[in-house]
Structures are given as structure tokens and as C-alpha cells.
């Protein structure tokens, strides 16, 4: 890729991310998605500059990207394949764009188009999904598909995507463990790449989101013990990483206490209520420490 197009691609991508972060209420009242549509146009321009995927980059049949009966979306890889060389790196950059296009369409309530882009992202990353460069992006795409299918009330499909993400995270941490590349870094020059600490923080946030959505899915499926376990894990991780909204955290902790009361686990219930009271006391005193990225599954 020539240097000028590379700079142009980077600038357009960064501009698209900035537009994607604009809150809806800051758009004109009659055009609530104006900034989202502008971001989409820039992402499409970047995609055009990168060029279409070759057969080698996108060779997997689309039918395999769906969920077979009783199977996870893609299953666990048997080995780590790094995204090395220009063909692989191009496929990964295309996958980043497909991911953001998918999220963009979901944000504008175009779920079918959003699903199509997210599935394309997974297909492009399939062989590299356990690699340092791709694991975070892959899990985020599956998390978003999990939420999408939950919104369609296809809870078992949502469960499969989310459990696949959890299994991939655990496999990556066991076999590799180093903080992986954040999806935003694929269009950054080397001198602007994130620190290892920041990469770790972002990857752990992705996994916390995964647990949060799994808790909701298990609640929908009336798997209450499992839902409580994942809710507790989410709350614990949010505190450990200092990434939470006090009001939301306190409500979730108080709700969890009711589960423990019904199970006659009064010490656990008291602990949850005490923690909820402490965190509730932070409202208005300290700023929220987490971007509002959580959505109801």
C-alpha cells in the first residue's frame, strides 16, 4: 500500500471513530443518526481504498459462519496462526472496517445489515482468531452478534456466540496471555500504538462485557444460579478495574442480593447490599469511570 493512501486511510478511519462517538442528542432532532451515517460513509470509503477481499482472504463458505445445531459459532481453534504478511494484514484491516460497519448499522437499528457485516468480520479473521492481533476484535464481533440475537429473542443463538467468546478468551489467556492488540491500533503508526498496560485494560473490559451479557442471557433462560455467578463476576471485575457507573453498579448489586435472600444465603445478600450502599454513596461525588458501552442483551 502506498504511503499516501495509508495516511488517507488512517485519517478517514480516525474521523469515522470520532463521528461514531457523537451522542445522539447532539445531532439535529430530525436527524438523530446524522453522525452515524457520516461515520458509515467514511468507513465505506476506507473499505473501498483497501479493496475487495480476495478469495484467499474470504474463502470460507458463508454457511459455515452460522450456527449448526448444538455447535458454537466457530468452535475453538487447534493452533495459533499469526496474521503475518501483507495478505493477512489486509484481511485483518478489512475485518476491522466490517466490524465497525456492523456496529454502525446496529446503532441505527438496521440489524440485518449489522449482522451481515459482523459475520464478514468473523469470516475474515477465522484462521487468525486466536492470534495476538485478532483475538480482541474477534471476541467483540461475537459479543455484538450475541446481543443482536438476544434482541431478536433467539436466546440460544446468543448464548452460543457469547460462550464461544468466553472460551476463546480463556484459551488465549492460557496459551498466550500477553495483552493483545486493540482493534483501533490496526490503522495507527508504530509510534502511536498503545502501551501494554492500556492494551490489557481494554482487553479485560471486553471480557467483562462478555460476562455481563452472559449473565443476562442466563437470566433469560432461567438459569438463575449461573446468572448470579456471572453477575457477581461482572460486578467484581468492574470494581477491580475501576470501570463502572455507580448508579448501575449499585442497582445490579442490590438485585443480586435478592437472589441470595431467596436462596437463604443471608451473609452474601448482606455483603451485596452493603457494597451497593457504599457505591451508591459515590453518585454525584466522583465521575463515572466507564464509557457507556453496555447494552441489555
Amino acid at each position: 500500500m502506498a504511503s499516501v493512501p495509508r495516511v488517507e486511510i488512517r485519517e478517514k478511519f480516525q474521523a469515522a471513530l470520532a463521528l461514531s462517538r457523537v451522542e445522539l442528542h447532539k445531532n439535529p432532532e430530525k436527524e438523530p443518526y446524522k453522525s452515524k451515517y457520516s461515520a458509515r460513509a467514511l468507513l465505506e470509503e476506507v473499505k473501498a481504498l483497501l479493496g475487495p477481499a480476495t478469495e484467499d482472504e474470504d474463502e470460507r463458505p458463508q454457511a459455515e459462519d452460522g450456527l449448526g445445531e448444538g455447535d458454537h459459532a466457530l468452535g475453538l481453534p487447534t493452533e495459533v496462526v499469526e496474521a503475518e504478511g501483507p495478505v493477512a494484514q489486509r484481511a485483518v484491516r478489512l475485518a476491522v472496517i466490517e466490524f465497525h460497519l456492523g456496529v454502525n448499522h446496529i446503532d441505527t437499528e438496521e440489524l440485518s445489515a449489522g449482522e451481515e457485516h459482523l459475520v464478514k468480520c468473523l469470516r475474515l479473521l477465522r484462521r487468525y482468531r486466536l492470534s495476538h492481533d485478532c483475538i480482541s476484535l474477534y471476541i467483540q464481533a461475537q459479543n455484538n452478534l450475541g446481543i443482536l440475537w438476544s434482541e431478536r429473542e433467539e436466546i440460544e443463538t446468543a448464548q452460543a456466540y457469547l460462550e464461544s467468546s468466553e472460551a476463546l478468551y480463556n484459551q488465549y489467556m492460557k496459551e498466550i496471555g500477553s495483552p493483545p492488540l486493540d482493534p483501533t491500533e490496526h490503522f495507527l503508526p508504530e509510534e502511536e500504538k498503545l502501551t501494554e498496560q492500556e492494551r490489557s485494560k481494554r482487553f479485560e473490559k471486553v471480557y467483562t462485557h462478555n460476562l455481563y451479557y452472559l449473565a443476562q442471557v442466563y437470566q433469560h433462560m432461567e438459569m438463575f444460579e449461573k446468572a448470579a455467578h456471572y453477575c457477581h463476576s461482572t460486578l467484581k471485575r468492574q470494581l477491580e478495574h475501576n470501570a463502572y457507573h455507580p448508579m448501575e453498579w449499585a442497582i445490579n448489586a442490590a438485585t443480586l442480593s435478592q437472589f441470595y435472600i431467596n436462596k437463604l444465603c443471608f451473609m452474601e445478600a448482606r455483603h451485596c447490599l452493603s457494597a451497593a450502599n457504599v457505591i451508591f454513596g459515590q453518585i454525584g461525588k466522583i465521575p463515572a469511570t466507564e464509557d457507556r458501552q453496555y447494552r441489555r442483551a
Side-chain angles (χ1 to χ4, degrees):
M1 188 184 299
S3 59
V4 174
R6 186 182 292 275
V7 172
E8 183 181 357
I9 285 171
R10 182 170 69 244
E11 290 177 349
K12 287 180 182 293
F13 179 70
Q14 294 300 327
L17 292 187
L19 285 166
S20 297
R21 289 190 286 265
V22 174
E23 296 178 19
L24 294 183
H25 68 83
K26 294 183 179 179
N27 286 299
E29 186 176 348
K30 294 183 179 180
E31 298 178 277
Y33 296 135
K34 183 177 180 180
S35 59
K36 300 289 185 186
Y37 293 144
S38 297
R40 184 185 302 178
L42 287 171
L43 290 169
E44 291 288 2
E45 288 180 27
V46 173
K47 185 177 176 180
L49 287 169
L50 289 171
T54 64
E55 289 185 11
D56 185 55
E57 291 168 331
D58 192 13
E59 65 184 6
R60 203 152 87 53
Q62 185 167 352
E64 293 181 23
D65 292 296
L67 295 167
E69 290 187 20
D71 294 331
H72 280 168
L74 296 168
L76 291 175
T78 57
E79 62 179 349
V80 178
V81 179
E82 295 294 343
E84 297 176 340
V87 172
Q89 286 297 313
R90 183 170 169 279
V92 172
R93 291 189 183 101
L94 280 170
V96 172
I97 300 304
E98 294 291 356
F99 170 77
H100 284 287
L101 283 170
V103 172
N104 181 285
H105 281 83
I106 290 171
D107 286 344
T108 58
E109 302 180 59
E110 300 165 79
L111 299 188
S112 293
E115 178 193 0
E116 183 179 341
H117 285 293
L118 291 173
V119 168
K120 285 181 180 177
C121 171
L122 295 185
R123 193 184 310 137
L124 286 161
L125 295 180
R126 174 176 165 74
R127 73 184 67 175
Y128 314 116
R129 65 191 183 280
L130 197 60
S131 71
H132 171 269
D133 287 5
C134 302
I135 182 70
S136 183
L137 176 59
Y138 198 89
I139 288 176
Q140 289 183 58
Q142 288 202 136
N143 282 351
N144 277 274
L145 282 165
I147 299 165
L148 185 152
W149 282 103
S150 181
E151 290 174 353
R152 291 171 171 171
E153 299 186 355
E154 296 282 350
I155 303 302
E156 290 185 359
T157 304
Q159 177 192 8
Y161 275 116
L162 294 170
E163 287 182 346
S164 176
S165 287
E166 181 187 25
L168 275 171
Y169 170 87
N170 288 329
Q171 184 181 3
Y172 179 85
M173 294 305 289
K174 180 181 179 180
E175 296 184 14
I176 302 175
S178 61
L181 209 66
D182 187 77
T184 59
E185 295 185 79
H186 290 289
F187 293 96
L188 291 178
E190 200 62 36
E191 63 272 16
E192 294 181 24
K193 294 286 178 73
L194 302 177
T195 63
E196 292 285 288
Q197 182 178 10
E198 181 62 24
R199 284 176 178 174
S200 178
K201 176 183 174 183
R202 294 191 185 194
F203 189 49
E204 292 304 321
K205 182 189 290 188
V206 169
Y207 181 54
T208 302
H209 286 186
N210 175 243
L211 299 179
Y212 174 83
Y213 301 135
L214 276 170
Q216 294 180 57
V217 163
Y218 292 138
Q219 184 74 21
H220 282 305
M221 300 178 78
E222 300 185 359
M223 300 169 67
F224 300 123
E225 291 269 3
K226 210 165 187 179
H229 169 74
Y230 278 81
C231 180
H232 181 271
S233 295
T234 299
L235 294 172
K236 183 172 181 287
R237 288 175 61 84
Q238 286 175 329
L239 281 184
E240 288 173 349
H241 295 285
N242 195 32
Y244 60 92
H245 286 274
M247 174 70 81
E248 292 177 11
W249 196 98
I251 290 172
N252 287 332
T255 301
L256 182 59
S257 75
Q258 294 304 304
F259 168 82
Y260 287 128
I261 289 172
N262 292 336
K263 299 290 289 184
L264 305 182
C265 299
F266 299 116
M267 289 294 291
E268 291 84 349
R270 181 182 178 183
H271 177 74
C272 287
L273 286 172
S274 297
N277 187 54
V278 170
I279 300 300
F280 188 81
Q282 296 178 357
I283 296 173
K285 297 179 181 179
I286 62 171
T289 56
E290 164 74 325
D291 294 333
R292 231 172 238 284
Q293 294 182 16
Y294 292 91
R295 305 206 302 272
R296 288 290 170 185

